[in-house]
Amino acid sequence: MRLPLIFVLTTVMIDAMGIGLIMPIMPNLLVEVQGGSLADAAIWGGILSTAFAVMQFLFSPVLGSLSDAYGRRPVLLISLFIMALDYLVMALAGSLWLLLIGRLVGGITAATHATAGAYIADISKPAEKAANFGLLGAAFGAGFVLGPLIGGLLGEMGTRAPFYAAAVLAGLNFALGWFVMRETVTDDTRRAFDWRRANPFGAFRAMASIPGIKGLLWVYFLYSVAIYVYPAIWSYFTAEQFGWQPQMIGVSLAIYGISMALVQGWLLRHVVRWVGERRTVIWGQVFDFVAFGILAVITSGNLALALIPISALGALVQPALQGLMSRAVADNQQGELQGVMTAVHALSMVVSPLMMTAAFAQFSDRDTAYYLPGAPFLLALVLMIIGCLVFLRTRPSVT
């Protein structure tokens, strides 16, 4: 299973890299395509990002359910093939509407995180699931670090270069998967595709009917909204509070990505073995309490940098939650579950930036009654505390 696992982890990494690869060049690309000011480009950039997240929300359960019915292999390979073509279209796009279509299609193909998670569940023993889900998180963290770095370098060659690079990466991984990926869905675990359960709302209702899962999904949503405070306002917060320039902001994000990859790829399996999945979730939330509380009032940039590894320890929560939920559902529902979780995460990516940036704008304005640029972290802290209370009251049946 080593080569298939490498293929699946690489797919997740490319999903993360694909987003980061194009971030450094999007402002210049949008100005190049439509003309106008950087402010106009920012508006369209927000539209493109929201369109991507909405498609992930809508189609993650669809791809997850399709993988339960037809297998992980065809869903992953077809998505990668379309992803490669989509990046080529975006590389050649000469209008905003074509870029928008490209982001809509990209959001659908990037919804394969659900299928990748289902594959991990297929090959993992119950006690190994949380640790192996951590490998997915580590792969995503690696992509989060590498994407912007490579995108920035390639951006020096032109605004279209990162798209061509993303297309090549997706194409090469498609070729690898074609030769090494083996199907893990068997006749015993195959489940017929049902549109009523494949849409995000129907899939959520189906999962919520399983004892304990509904509460854990709410915990996962609250956690995702809270933790998204970092990508939502970190650049603005550190520039306002510490006077950081883009280079320093990039370095801090890279440190966070590397720390998160180490936590989920290495530390997690040891923590789960020592204290179990439930306590791992609680400890991860405690580290988030500490990080959010300090960041809300901190005034030292050096202290903020030193705090990053502690902040990254909060990454223990997600894979441990995934492990608990995966153990509570049947083998023929793994794709559906992972689809629901990916949809919940995508929904948080729509909700959180709106909440966090609004809080930052309100409390960082020079005319505000109470100046506190770290206010979004207080909001994240409240959400995390609510999630922890819900988690303590929820006990799913596990195998």
Side-chain angles (χ1 to χ4, degrees):
M1 286 293 182
R2 183 173 297 275
L3 284 176
L5 179 60
I6 290 173
F7 161 70
V8 170
L9 295 178
T10 303
T11 300
V12 172
M13 186 175 70
I14 289 175
D15 285 348
M17 284 183 64
I19 300 170
L21 270 170
I22 64 177
M23 284 176 61
I25 52 89
M26 284 304 288
N28 290 339
L29 174 64
L30 290 169
V31 170
E32 174 187 309
V33 170
Q34 72 161 357
S37 66
L38 195 61
D40 295 329
I43 293 173
W44 268 99
I47 292 172
L48 295 179
S49 297
T50 301
F52 185 93
V54 168
M55 288 299 101
Q56 271 202 313
F57 168 71
L58 293 175
F59 281 88
S60 291
V62 175
L63 295 190
S65 291
L66 283 171
S67 76
D68 280 341
Y70 302 106
R72 319 302 182 203
R73 174 185 163 88
V75 170
L76 289 173
L77 290 179
I78 292 172
S79 297
L80 277 168
F81 182 76
I82 296 175
M83 180 186 293
L85 294 179
D86 180 58
Y87 278 124
L88 286 176
V89 170
M90 293 190 70
L92 300 170
S95 71
L96 287 172
W97 294 109
L98 199 53
L99 286 175
L100 177 59
I101 292 171
R103 284 287 78 188
L104 290 171
V105 174
I108 296 172
T109 59
T112 51
H113 198 106
T115 306
Y119 173 82
I120 293 296
D122 291 342
I123 66 170
S124 303
K125 297 176 182 178
E128 298 173 344
K129 287 188 175 184
N132 287 341
F133 283 129
L135 294 177
L136 282 183
F140 188 90
F144 178 80
V145 173
L146 292 174
L149 292 176
I150 297 174
L153 292 173
L154 292 175
E156 298 296 322
M157 302 167 59
T159 56
R160 310 295 176 143
F163 292 108
Y164 286 115
V168 170
L169 284 172
L172 289 175
N173 199 44
F174 168 82
L176 173 64
W178 182 268
F179 290 107
V180 307
M181 183 65 176
R182 298 292 179 265
E183 187 53 67
T184 55
V185 175
T186 65
D187 290 339
D188 292 333
T189 60
R190 197 179 306 277
R191 180 173 59 84
F193 183 79
D194 184 352
W195 275 111
R196 291 172 298 179
R197 294 176 60 154
N199 70 82
F201 306 103
F204 183 87
R205 284 195 299 270
M207 287 293 102
S209 66
I210 300 172
I213 291 294
K214 183 177 181 179
L216 292 184
L217 286 173
W218 275 110
V219 174
Y220 186 64
F221 175 70
L222 291 168
Y223 167 80
S224 298
V225 173
I227 209 70
Y228 207 78
V229 68
Y230 290 114
I233 62 102
W234 184 256
S235 298
Y236 309 101
F237 166 72
T238 53
E240 174 72 18
Q241 188 77 321
F242 312 132
W244 283 1
Q245 298 301 310
Q247 182 179 15
M248 191 64 209
I249 294 172
V251 168
S252 67
L253 288 172
I255 293 173
Y256 181 81
I258 293 169
S259 300
M260 187 179 74
L262 288 173
V263 167
Q264 294 189 328
W266 173 73
L267 181 62
L268 174 73
R269 63 182 61 248
H270 299 294
V271 176
V272 169
R273 188 168 63 247
W274 294 333
V275 302
E277 289 167 337
R278 281 192 63 84
R279 289 182 180 177
T280 297
V281 172
I282 294 170
W283 274 110
Q285 291 172 323
V286 169
F287 287 121
D288 281 324
F289 297 161
V290 173
F292 291 155
I294 295 176
L295 285 169
V297 298
I298 198 173
T299 57
S300 168
N302 290 332
L303 185 56
L305 278 178
L307 187 65
I308 288 176
I310 296 176
S311 303
L313 289 172
L316 291 167
V317 174
Q318 180 179 344
L321 272 176
Q322 279 184 284
L324 281 172
M325 283 189 271
S326 178
R327 292 172 60 190
V329 305
D331 289 341
N332 65 359
Q333 293 179 297
Q334 293 297 329
E336 184 178 23
L337 170 64
Q338 298 304 322
V340 169
M341 293 187 69
T342 304
V344 167
H345 181 72
L347 182 61
S348 74
M349 291 172 63
V350 176
V351 173
S352 186
L354 298 176
M355 294 174 57
M356 300 305 175
T357 53
F360 177 79
Q362 176 65 34
F363 289 95
S364 63
D365 192 294
R366 296 301 175 180
D367 296 326
T368 186
Y370 191 79
Y371 179 74
L372 185 67
F377 292 106
L378 285 181
L379 176 57
L381 176 59
V382 171
L383 292 172
M384 192 68 72
I385 290 174
I386 295 173
C388 185
L389 293 175
V390 174
F391 180 75
L392 291 174
R393 292 173 58 88
T394 304
R395 287 190 175 273
S397 300
V398 297
T399 57

